[in-house]
Amino acid sequence: MELKEYFADFVSLFFPAICVGCDSPLPKGTQHICPSCQYNLPKTNNHKAEIAAFREKFDGIVSVAHVLVYCNFHKRGLVQKLLHELKYNNCPELGEMLGRWYAHELLLNGFAEEFDLVVPVPLHPSRLKQRGYNQSMAVSRGVAEVFKLPIAEEYLIRTKKSSTMTKMNKVERILNMQQSYRMMMPERLKDQRVLLIDDVLTTGSTLIACAEQLHLAKPKSVSILTLAAA
Ligand SMILES: [Zn+2]
């Protein structure tokens, strides 16, 4: 046994790593999520049977080829805990891992040749500085690794910080978000099949604003992938 491994075992005797979902100690060889919680992930499986409610968020507003959502989000459920850990608890590795898991499933279900590059939904620079990482970038890294795709991080930028949108209706939200992102280097995306990635799909206004910007570059298609949908 290597010294490093020996030391890790020694530390875990006193500080066992626990599952984000159920707080039980993690078996050796697993990270963040125990096998039982992994098995019980509430997957949407909408790559096998499309769920109209997800696509309807984009219908008539912006053209999207695929809308891929890994899990269903329930209040106080497992997925809410995972997303909270990913976003607020300095755990980008969890996003990468979930991105890899989902991409493996998609690879096995005919999506191997569907995309040319990955674009993460960007964070505003001040938010990035505050959090230290972009959770969408973390998910993108996992997906891109499995699909062996480049990540085009610098093509889409966030120009405006978010304001509270809780009192806005759908149209107001979309208009508000539309001014928040800007396409850079559009020539690089021309005729590409772009996979736009975020951690969660809620009203869709963020992803609509980003997809609209991507379409300015005349890509072949824009698809959307998120870890969860509310
Ligand atoms: Zn668990």
Side-chain angles (χ1 to χ4, degrees), residues 68-71 73 79 82-84 86-88 95 98 102 120-121 123 131 133-140 196-202 206-207 224-230:
L68 299 163
V69 177
Y70 192 24
C71 293
F73 180 100
V79 176
L82 295 175
L83 289 181
H84 187 272
L86 165 63
K87 214 163 168 175
Y88 301 110
L98 291 168
Y102 191 25
V121 167
L123 278 187
R131 188 172 296 162
Y133 61 94
N134 174 358
Q135 73 279 3
S136 304
M137 181 62 190
V139 181
S140 297
L196 175 64
I197 296 187
D198 205 357
D199 53 343
V200 63
L201 168 64
T202 48
T206 296
L207 286 156
I224 281 161
L225 181 151
T226 66
L227 291 183

Side-chain angles (χ1 to χ4, degrees), residues 3 12 18 26 33 45 49 62 89 96 98 102 105 121-122 135 142 148 170 202 218-220 228 230:
L3 192 63
S12 69
I18 57 167
L26 286 171
I33 304 175
N45 284 314
V62 67
N89 217 0
E96 278 189 55
L98 291 168
Y102 191 25
E105 281 195 30
V121 167
Q135 73 279 3
K148 298 189 169 56
K170 183 166 180 179
T202 48
K218 307 238 178 313
K220 197 169 185 179

Side-chain angles (χ1 to χ4, degrees), residues 35-191:
S36 164
C37 285
Q38 182 182 6
Y39 181 80
N40 288 315
L41 276 176
K43 295 177 188 174
T44 74
N45 284 314
N46 83 322
H47 55 284
K48 295 177 185 166
E50 187 161 55
I51 296 172
F54 299 153
R55 183 170 284 278
E56 278 165 9
K57 293 179 194 273
F58 305 95
D59 275 352
I61 306 171
V62 67
S63 160
V64 287
H66 302 287
V67 180
L68 299 163
V69 177
Y70 192 24
C71 293
N72 285 308
F73 180 100
H74 304 287
K75 261 208 151 47
R76 288 181 285 281
L78 170 61
V79 176
Q80 185 180 29
K81 286 185 190 171
L82 295 175
L83 289 181
H84 187 272
E85 184 80 3
L86 165 63
K87 214 163 168 175
Y88 301 110
N89 217 0
N90 194 22
C91 198
E93 302 81 15
L94 176 61
E96 278 189 55
M97 189 179 83
L98 291 168
R100 279 197 301 273
W101 286 0
Y102 191 25
H104 274 298
E105 281 195 30
L106 295 172
L107 266 192
L108 294 173
N109 285 281
F111 284 84
E113 305 290 335
E114 284 296 298
F115 315 111
D116 298 312
L117 55 84
V118 165
V119 175
V121 167
L123 278 187
H124 190 270
S126 66
R127 181 62 56 80
L128 184 63
K129 203 172 165 194
Q130 180 187 31
R131 188 172 296 162
Y133 61 94
N134 174 358
Q135 73 279 3
S136 304
M137 181 62 190
V139 181
S140 297
R141 270 200 295 268
V143 172
E145 184 190 312
V146 172
F147 277 115
K148 298 189 169 56
L149 293 176
I151 302 176
E153 189 183 10
E154 68 280 21
Y155 294 10
L156 186 64
I157 60 163
R158 176 124 197 191
T159 52
K160 218 178 83 180
K161 262 170 101 172
S162 53
S163 41
T164 309
M165 298 203 291
T166 40
K167 288 211 174 95
M168 296 182 191
N169 64 32
K170 183 166 180 179
V171 174
E172 287 167 337
R173 279 169 205 262
I174 292 170
L175 288 173
N176 182 55
M177 291 310 282
Q178 266 172 341
Q179 299 143 12
S180 301
Y181 298 94
R182 194 188 309 143
M183 182 71 220
M184 312 296 279
M185 296 186 286
E187 65 285 353
R188 305 276 289 276
L189 290 182
K190 195 169 185 301
D191 296 324

